[in-house]
Amino acid sequence: MAERDQRNLLRRLGALAFELTPQVFAVAAFLGGVVLLASAATPAFTQRLVFLDRLLHPLLIDLSHFAASVAGFLLLMLSAGLWRRRRGAYWAVLIVLVGGAVFSLMKGLDWEEAVQLGLVALLLAPCRKAFNRHSRLTEPLRPAWLLLLAAVVAAVMWLGFFAYRDVAYQDALWWTLLTDRQVSGFLRAGAALALLTLLAAGRSLLGAPGAAGHRPADRAQVDQAIRILQQADVAAPEAWLAALSDKALMFSPSGRSVLAYRVRGRRWIAMGEPAGLASERRELLWAFAEAADGYGAAPVFYSVGEGLLADLATLGLAVRKVGETAVIDTAVFSLEGKARQNLRTAVNRAEREGAVFDMLPPGAASAVAAELKAVSDAWLAHHKGTEKAFSLGRFDPAWLDLTPVAVVRVQGRIVAFANLMPGARPRDGLAVDLMRHAPDAPPGVMDYLFVRTIQWAHDQGWGALDLGLAPLAGLDDRRLAPVFARVGALVFDEGGAVYGFSGLRAYKAKYGPDWRPRFIAAPPSTPLALALLDVALLTSGGWRGMLGRGG
């Protein structure tokens, strides 16, 4: 038994060592790149250089010096791919290590460096199975790795100028091949390194990893998402936003669960929670996080509820509250009492002016699409707004046909409407998406619409009606609260000039809702404030829309 336990222990230790192989060789390759760059920035041994001049043409020596510098830079870049187990990085590093060893010998008979690089290549060669991820050699560097790369290049440049501090620098040094060869070689290599670093930084900071291959879903994918939503055993009402064709969709291996997301910059932002089978939720979360990580991007989950927090913690994500959603319990809602006086007044006045409520079933919106569009266009023009996206629906008859649509008519003409997204089960309730009214509609028409919708939902067996998110509501401005929460609370209180945060919450509060928190989650290294800004820009269609200057 003891012998078996020892074998089992050795097997587990071996598996652990195998798992650490990519990180070990990433560090080794990075240090190899540092050695190559430091060697290229410092003078060669004179006796070796004199001997080499007898064997090789000076131009070939100078080109080898330049090539060794580029090889060193490539090792710094490719080591990030090794760390992430990229198969392509494995092969590329092997080639660069061998090339770097050859160039080290050809530029100054630096056999010590050649031996070090060759040894790393020999040790790396049999470890191919440890690098099991598909190749993405153009993958952007993460900010931390990019900062480390820039620091190494800056240190090498300082080392070179320190080594040649007694040189009288002049323009001719850049092109001199036979005199002051080492100084001119250092200057040319330094210029190339600076340019390569800028290119890498621009590519990494401005790129959107994975965006090209993860565009909005096509018709077949949207149809599959709709089938999943119609048969789901777990789905928040917001999951229906997956049917808008403005987001990419990730499906579970069984094809019975779905998650909607968009790629913006270095963040993959999932809208809401997975929908479909409850047994597949966690695996789909992991699949999404690993796919984003595979591209060097950060997975972000926006507008998730308390029920998902345990799974997000399992993924190692940081979580912050982003607001509260107003959920009406349809079983206890009533117009009785002093607190509901204003709602009673609005309902009575609307009906005196001829308002009539109706609920259009799914598929009925297309028959009155022209009337609905007239209301929508007038509402947008009155508010000087544009259609939203991502976390909100937009006016589209095909979209409205998927869900029930509450309408208010006056003298037979539709003057207000709101579409309702259903949850998977009656107790999950419904959520209001679009809510629009004509400028000439009776005062209080939306209060009338919501009251009648709540009553209709109760009659149909729906347990709740979600009136939507009040962004940044419920954040605590306390000394020990996270900076994210304190800044959010400040914006909520003082940001009325840009967006009526407090006014929106006050409007929904008169219905007596249960305020349920909504969260955003991302890796601890991801600035959540920037992730939330990305959500706002995706929803508003850019800066102009977010600042209320849409065309």
Side-chain angles (χ1 to χ4, degrees):
M1 180 67 72
E3 184 179 349
R4 184 187 305 171
D5 290 341
Q6 289 179 351
R7 287 199 303 268
N8 184 52
L9 177 61
L10 291 175
R11 180 183 59 80
R12 295 183 67 179
L13 289 175
L16 179 60
F18 182 78
E19 286 298 313
L20 293 176
T21 295
Q23 287 72 41
V24 171
F25 280 106
V27 173
F30 191 91
L31 293 177
V34 173
V35 169
L36 277 177
L37 292 180
S39 175
T42 53
F45 292 102
T46 304
Q47 292 181 344
R48 296 183 185 182
L49 201 56
V50 171
F51 178 76
L52 193 63
D53 281 336
R54 301 172 186 170
L55 302 177
L56 300 176
H57 191 280
L59 179 59
L60 188 58
I61 297 174
D62 279 345
L63 291 176
S64 299
H65 184 279
F66 184 81
S69 303
V70 174
F73 184 85
L74 289 177
L75 285 177
L76 299 184
M77 294 275 293
L78 292 169
S79 59
L82 289 186
W83 189 280
R84 306 179 70 78
R85 303 173 180 271
R86 297 293 186 213
R87 190 176 302 127
Y90 163 83
W91 290 111
V93 167
L94 279 179
I95 294 172
V96 175
L97 284 171
V98 173
V102 173
F103 295 138
S104 294
L105 293 174
M106 292 177 63
K107 75 179 181 66
L109 289 179
D110 296 325
W111 60 269
E112 299 92 344
E113 299 163 18
V115 169
Q116 293 173 19
L117 297 175
L119 182 61
V120 174
L122 286 174
L123 294 175
L124 176 62
C127 300
R128 180 175 62 85
K129 291 184 179 180
F131 300 90
N132 52 12
R133 291 183 178 177
H134 293 299
S135 306
R136 293 192 183 98
L137 293 181
T138 59
E139 176 183 325
L141 296 178
R142 289 184 171 182
W145 207 284
L146 184 62
L147 184 62
L148 186 59
L149 172 66
V152 169
V153 172
V156 167
M157 295 294 291
W158 175 88
L159 179 63
F161 282 111
F162 179 80
Y164 299 112
R165 61 188 180 279
D166 296 327
V167 174
Y169 291 97
Q170 52 185 320
D171 293 341
L173 284 175
W174 289 84
W175 315 112
T176 302
L177 295 178
L178 300 179
T179 61
D180 295 320
R181 176 191 301 158
Q182 297 187 72
V183 181
S184 59
F186 158 67
L187 291 175
R188 288 192 294 272
L193 290 176
L195 179 59
L196 289 172
T197 303
L198 287 175
L199 291 175
R203 172 73 175 84
S204 299
L205 297 177
L206 301 179
H214 296 77
R215 298 186 183 280
D218 58 28
R219 187 67 253 171
Q221 292 174 317
V222 171
D223 289 342
Q224 181 181 354
I226 293 173
R227 290 193 296 271
I228 290 172
L229 292 167
Q230 291 171 338
Q231 303 169 9
D233 55 37
V234 57
E238 294 85 356
W240 278 92
L241 294 171
L244 276 169
S245 301
D246 65 343
K247 289 175 275 292
L249 300 178
M250 176 175 285
F251 297 96
S252 63
S254 71
R256 299 178 63 186
S257 299
V258 63
L259 181 67
Y261 66 99
R262 284 285 302 272
V263 176
R264 180 175 173 83
R266 299 189 58 83
R267 286 171 279 275
W268 287 26
I269 305 174
M271 177 57 219
E273 307 174 5
L277 300 181
S279 60
E280 295 182 339
R281 281 165 68 87
R282 181 178 292 185
E283 284 304 315
L284 189 52
L285 293 174
W286 272 114
F288 177 76
E290 289 168 350
D293 181 74
Y295 279 92
V300 178
F301 296 89
Y302 172 71
S303 191
V304 297
E306 294 172 289
L308 205 66
L309 294 188
D311 288 334
L312 296 177
T314 301
L315 269 64
L317 304 181
V319 178
R320 293 289 184 270
K321 185 177 179 180
V322 294
E324 296 176 327
T325 189
V327 179
I328 310 298
D329 186 336
T330 62
V332 301
F333 177 80
S334 171
L335 288 178
E336 302 300 323
K338 184 177 180 180
R340 301 289 183 267
Q341 175 63 51
N342 290 337
L343 290 180
R344 291 197 301 273
T345 300
V347 169
N348 293 333
R349 180 174 181 180
E351 291 186 337
R352 284 198 304 271
E353 298 196 23
V356 177
F357 174 83
D358 189 19
M359 182 66 69
L360 305 179
S366 56
V368 290
E371 287 188 80
L372 296 176
K373 187 175 188 306
V375 173
S376 178
D377 290 346
W379 187 89
L380 289 172
H382 180 73
H383 289 85
K384 298 182 173 61
T386 57
E387 291 287 5
K388 303 299 183 183
F390 189 67
S391 64
L392 295 172
R394 63 176 182 272
F395 183 84
D396 180 348
W399 163 240
L400 297 180
D401 257 346
L402 295 174
T403 62
V405 179
V407 300
V408 175
R409 292 185 173 92
V410 173
Q411 296 181 355
R413 179 175 70 93
I414 295 177
V415 296
F417 72 91
N419 70 307
L420 310 176
M421 301 179 292
R425 299 159 297 184
R427 71 169 181 262
D428 295 327
L430 302 142
V432 176
D433 178 34
L434 295 183
M435 48 183 91
R436 297 179 178 178
H437 63 85
D440 60 349
V445 68
M446 295 308 292
D447 287 331
Y448 172 70
L449 184 147
F450 290 145
V451 167
R452 293 298 184 230
T453 298
I454 295 169
Q455 294 169 340
W456 172 89
H458 177 258
D459 294 341
Q460 297 298 314
W462 293 99
L465 179 70
D466 187 344
L467 296 181
L469 182 70
L472 305 181
L475 275 61
D476 291 321
D477 185 12
R478 297 176 180 268
R479 184 176 63 85
L480 297 181
V483 173
F484 179 92
R486 300 191 67 179
V487 173
L490 176 65
V491 174
F492 178 85
D493 292 332
E494 307 296 339
V498 177
Y499 188 90
F501 295 102
S502 56
L504 179 62
R505 191 184 193 282
Y507 176 82
K508 296 177 180 181
K510 62 187 176 183
Y511 294 91
D514 175 19
W515 290 102
R516 299 180 185 175
R518 285 292 181 266
F519 303 92
I520 188 171
S525 60
T526 299
L528 287 175
L530 294 182
L532 191 57
L533 176 62
D534 283 337
V535 172
L537 291 171
L538 286 173
T539 300
S540 301
W543 287 101
R544 288 178 60 85
M546 191 174 72
L547 297 176
R549 296 193 174 111

